Structures are given as C-alpha cells and as structure tokens.
Amino acid sequence: MRYAVLGTGEVGRTLGGRLVELGHEVTLGSRSEDNPVAREWSTAAAGRAHAGTFAQAAAASEVVINAVGGRVALEALGAVGAGHLDGKVVVDVSNPLAFEDGQPRLDPVESDSVGERIQQAFPHARVVKTLNTVNCQVMVDPGRVPGGHAVFVCGENADAKEQVKELLGEFGWPAGRVLDLGGIRSARAVEMYLPLWLTMFREFGHADFNIEVCRAR
Amino acid sequence: MRYAVLGTGEVGRTLGGRLVELGHEVTLGSRSEDNPVAREWSTAAAGRAHAGTFAQAAAASEVVINAVGGRVALEALGAVGAGHLDGKVVVDVSNPLAFEDGQPRLDPVESDSVGERIQQAFPHARVVKTLNTVNCQVMVDPGRVPGGHAVFVCGENADAKEQVKELLGEFGWPAGRVLDLGGIRSARAVEMYLPLWLTMFREFGHADFNIEVCRAR
C-alpha cells in the first residue's frame, strides 16, 4: 500500500518508519519540499521511503495519515487540497493540544473535534479517527504495554474503518482490541481523553501505558 | 463511621444503601427536611439510615459524600456551610453533566472542575475526587465488571486519600486498583473522561464496564 504520512515530528517519523518496515511505500509530507528532517528520514529508511510536500505525499498515496498536531491539521490538509483527498481514507491520529500559560489545553474541546473538522472540511474524504489515545511508540508496537489494551476507531464510513482495522492489525493490534465507537462525532470523546492520558503520563513518568476496557457483556 | 450522602438520586441512594449494609450510620441529605424519597429510603434501609437536610446530614457525620450532580454541588455544599465541612473528608463522586440542545455537555470543562471548585470554596475541607468514572452500581460493587479495572483518586490531602482508599476497599476495590493521580487539579482529567464513558455506554448498551490501566512498569 502507498501511504502519505503528514508531519515530520516524532509521530510522523515513527508511523512512517514502521510502515516502511512493513513493506509499504511511504511519503513523509511536510510544508516544504526540502525539509531536511524528511530528507534525512527518507534516506535512512531506504528505498520505499520518500519525502515531499504535503500535496506531493498525498498525491502519491492511497491512504493519508494526519500526523501533524491537531491544531494545524486543517492547514496541512488544506495544503494537500480536496483533489488529493476525495475518496481516500484519511487516518487522523492527532490531538488538539495547545499550551496556555504553560498548561496543556485542548483546542477545540467538547463542542467540536479535529476529527470532525477534517471530515467537515473534506466531505468526500473517508476520515477515521484512531490511535490518538496512545503514545506513538505504542501506536506501532502495542506489545510494549502488557495486557489486552484497547484502541478506538470512529468514522462515518464502515469500509474505511475496516481498512484501518487491517492497518492496526499490521501494527500488532488484535482485532478484538479495536473498539468501534461509531461515527466521527465520537472523536470528541477520544480527544477529551488526552488530559487523563497526560495526568497518568506525569504520574507514571513514562508513556508505555494504555487502557483496557473491561465489560460485563 | 458516620457518613453524610448528599443527594437522593440513584447515586446517593446506591452509595447510602451500601454504606448502611456495611454497618455505617448514614444520613441522606436533601434540600428539604421532608423529602419523601429520603424519608422512604431511610425507613426501608433500617436503623442506621437517616434523612435530613444537607446541613443536618453533614452535621451528623464524619465524612461527607457529594452525590448531587456536579453542576449543583456548590449549591448543596453551600447549604451545608463551611462550619460542618471544615476538617472533614469530602468525597466528590460527581460529574459536571449538563444538556444543551439535548446533547450532553460538561460545565465546567477543562479550565476548571467540580472537584477544584469544591476545594476552593471550602479550603479547610479535605476534598477527594473519586468514583466519578464508573456507574453507581459499579462504584459499590466493582465485581460486576470482570477484570482488574481501576478507580482514580485525587486530592490535596494524603491522609484523606488514604481514608478514601479504605472506603473504596470496603466497596470491593482492591488497593492495587486505586490509582492516585495527585492533587485536586487532576479532577479536570477524570471529569473530562465522561464523554468517552458516555460514548462507550451508548455503544455497549449498558453501564457495567470500566477501564483497566495497563502499564509497562
């Protein structure tokens, strides 16, 4: 499969690197064509790894993964343009993390979400929100955390969610641990989990944790 | 122990009923002295169950549990008055659930929390936020949900948190499943979990679920 990974930060490089290892063609997208981080990554990650602008990455790919911060997601996807997104699966792993007076905040929060904003801005893309509830190392290697912990998916298109479940399976998430939370509106719920994640991160002193959902039936 | 349970809704009656079963003296507090629900409850729940105003309940008790809705918590505790709260452990199990256009919302959200507001309004009370992340049936009987799922505590006073951990132990929460999230500011994080809880409640069709926290170390 050909993947665009938008964003050259730790999340983008981690996702892109694992996808290359899994045998996929990956273009890491950034604002400019000559982003040195993306160039270095594509050289180090061998023949199936490429670098380009956001638009070039998406144009070259069947699936687009949004790995830029949630607050700049619409800007990055706007640079791609609807023409390279329509009909494609767009996987949004971002959180709308902002800082105000040094304190982490969400923007938007509760009345809207990054996942919904992307789907609304690109109504012909098939947006799936997932993986934003774990650290990027855990995203691509859930075995780092013991136990049968869960990852959530939400989105309007059932086929797109099935395709994302297959991708999650390649990363090591068993099908039984992928919880479908319905439509893209549930992106609000999983994005609002971030403060609890950040609190546990502070208390534990590391990011190798996740939640399991226990249920009576 | 003598407990005041403020609130005659399902949460208050469930907590109060279990505390009576456990051998404690419980006064169910409500706005008015002649609340018929509280009167009926106190009659049905035998000799250790009493009913009274918010202030009477707190005056008669060593520990005060806030089981009214988060949005009216300050009003209920205001009716109690600082004189009956100072120095006492105040257990806040509420969520700031509101409805707007038929949609559940949190008020306050993110920049503040019910737990913090109570602690700020009554600086000499020893506020502990806990149990708000599960349904009231699960609060008093965690064995309804299989697995080693977790409950959170946060608050400024370590002794108060220890006392609440003992209470949680009486309800059936093993000590190893009680996660201390630090100071009362973490109430924001656990209150913001509510949208994810509500989403899972909708998807599962029942409330007998909870999260376990899996961690590498």
Side-chain angles (χ1 to χ4, degrees):
Chain A
M1 190 81 81
R2 288 175 286 120
Y3 284 93
V5 178
L6 309 186
T8 61
E10 194 192 348
V11 182
R13 296 197 310 275
T14 303
L15 285 166
R18 184 67 188 133
L19 287 167
V20 168
E21 285 175 1
L22 289 166
H24 299 291
E25 292 280 328
V26 177
T27 307
L28 201 62
S30 59
R31 274 183 187 73
S32 64
E33 203 168 349
D34 57 352
N35 179 308
V37 174
R39 290 281 161 212
E40 188 187 330
W41 176 85
S42 67
T43 308
R48 290 185 300 278
H50 316 281
T53 63
F54 290 134
Q56 288 167 341
S61 304
E62 299 154 285
V63 174
V64 177
I65 300 179
N66 174 49
V68 301
R71 297 187 73 210
V72 294
L74 283 183
E75 187 189 327
L77 289 161
V80 170
H84 293 314
L85 295 172
D86 287 357
K88 288 182 184 171
V89 173
V90 175
V91 185
D92 175 33
V93 306
S94 74
N95 280 304
L97 185 60
F99 283 89
E100 192 176 282
D101 301 329
Q103 296 296 327
R105 297 289 299 271
L106 300 183
D107 178 22
V109 65
E110 199 194 31
S111 59
D112 203 354
S113 63
V114 182
E116 288 166 280
R117 285 188 176 178
I118 295 173
Q119 185 62 81
Q120 187 169 26
F122 303 98
H124 301 297
R126 297 183 294 160
V127 179
V128 178
K129 184 98 200 181
T130 191
L131 286 173
N132 68 302
T133 54
V134 293
N135 173 268
C136 63
Q137 304 293 339
V138 179
M139 288 182 188
V140 300
D141 183 12
R144 292 172 68 93
V145 177
H149 46 97
V151 65
F152 303 100
V153 293
C154 59
E156 299 300 318
N157 188 286
D159 290 342
K161 284 194 280 194
E162 280 308 310
Q163 194 173 327
V164 169
K165 282 178 196 173
E166 284 176 28
L167 169 62
L168 293 170
E170 289 187 67
F171 284 154
W173 294 93
R177 296 302 176 179
V178 181
L179 288 186
D180 190 332
L181 295 182
I184 194 64
R185 195 181 187 291
S186 298
R188 296 180 195 188
V190 289
E191 292 179 15
M192 287 178 75
Y193 167 75
L194 182 64
L196 183 54
W197 188 93
L198 288 169
T199 302
M200 290 194 282
F201 174 64
R202 183 195 68 205
E203 292 296 319
F204 300 163
H206 65 82
D208 283 333
F209 67 89
N210 188 20
I211 54 172
E212 172 180 353
V213 179
C214 303
R215 46 197 284 202
R217 53 191 183 275
Chain B
M1 191 81 82
R2 288 175 287 119
Y3 284 94
V5 178
L6 310 185
T8 60
E10 193 191 348
V11 180
R13 295 196 312 271
T14 303
L15 286 166
R18 184 68 188 132
L19 287 167
V20 168
E21 284 175 3
L22 289 165
H24 299 292
E25 292 280 327
V26 178
T27 308
L28 201 63
S30 58
R31 273 180 189 74
S32 63
E33 202 169 349
D34 56 353
N35 180 308
V37 173
R39 289 282 160 211
E40 187 187 331
W41 176 86
S42 67
T43 308
R48 290 185 301 278
H50 316 280
T53 63
F54 290 133
Q56 288 167 341
S61 303
E62 298 154 284
V63 175
V64 177
I65 301 180
N66 173 49
V68 302
R71 298 186 75 210
V72 293
L74 283 183
E75 187 189 325
L77 289 162
V80 170
H84 293 315
L85 296 172
D86 285 358
K88 288 184 185 170
V89 173
V90 174
V91 185
D92 174 33
V93 306
S94 73
N95 280 303
L97 184 60
F99 284 90
E100 192 176 282
D101 301 330
Q103 297 296 329
R105 296 289 299 271
L106 299 184
D107 177 23
V109 66
E110 198 192 33
S111 60
D112 204 353
S113 63
V114 182
E116 287 166 281
R117 284 187 176 180
I118 294 173
Q119 185 63 79
Q120 188 169 25
F122 303 98
H124 302 297
R126 298 182 293 160
V127 179
V128 178
K129 183 98 199 180
T130 190
L131 287 173
N132 69 302
T133 55
V134 293
N135 172 269
C136 63
Q137 303 295 336
V138 179
M139 289 181 185
V140 300
D141 183 13
R144 292 172 69 94
V145 177
H149 46 97
V151 66
F152 304 101
V153 293
C154 59
E156 299 301 317
N157 188 285
D159 290 341
K161 285 194 279 194
E162 281 307 311
Q163 194 174 328
V164 169
K165 283 177 196 173
E166 283 177 30
L167 169 63
L168 293 171
E170 289 187 68
F171 284 154
W173 295 94
R177 297 301 175 177
V178 181
L179 289 185
D180 190 330
L181 295 181
I184 194 65
R185 195 181 187 289
S186 297
R188 298 181 195 187
V190 289
E191 293 179 15
M192 286 177 76
Y193 166 76
L194 182 64
L196 183 54
W197 188 93
L198 289 170
T199 302
M200 290 194 281
F201 174 64
R202 184 194 67 204
E203 292 295 318
F204 300 162
H206 65 83
D208 282 333
F209 67 89
N210 188 21
I211 54 173
E212 173 179 351
V213 178
C214 304
R215 46 197 285 202
R217 55 191 181 273

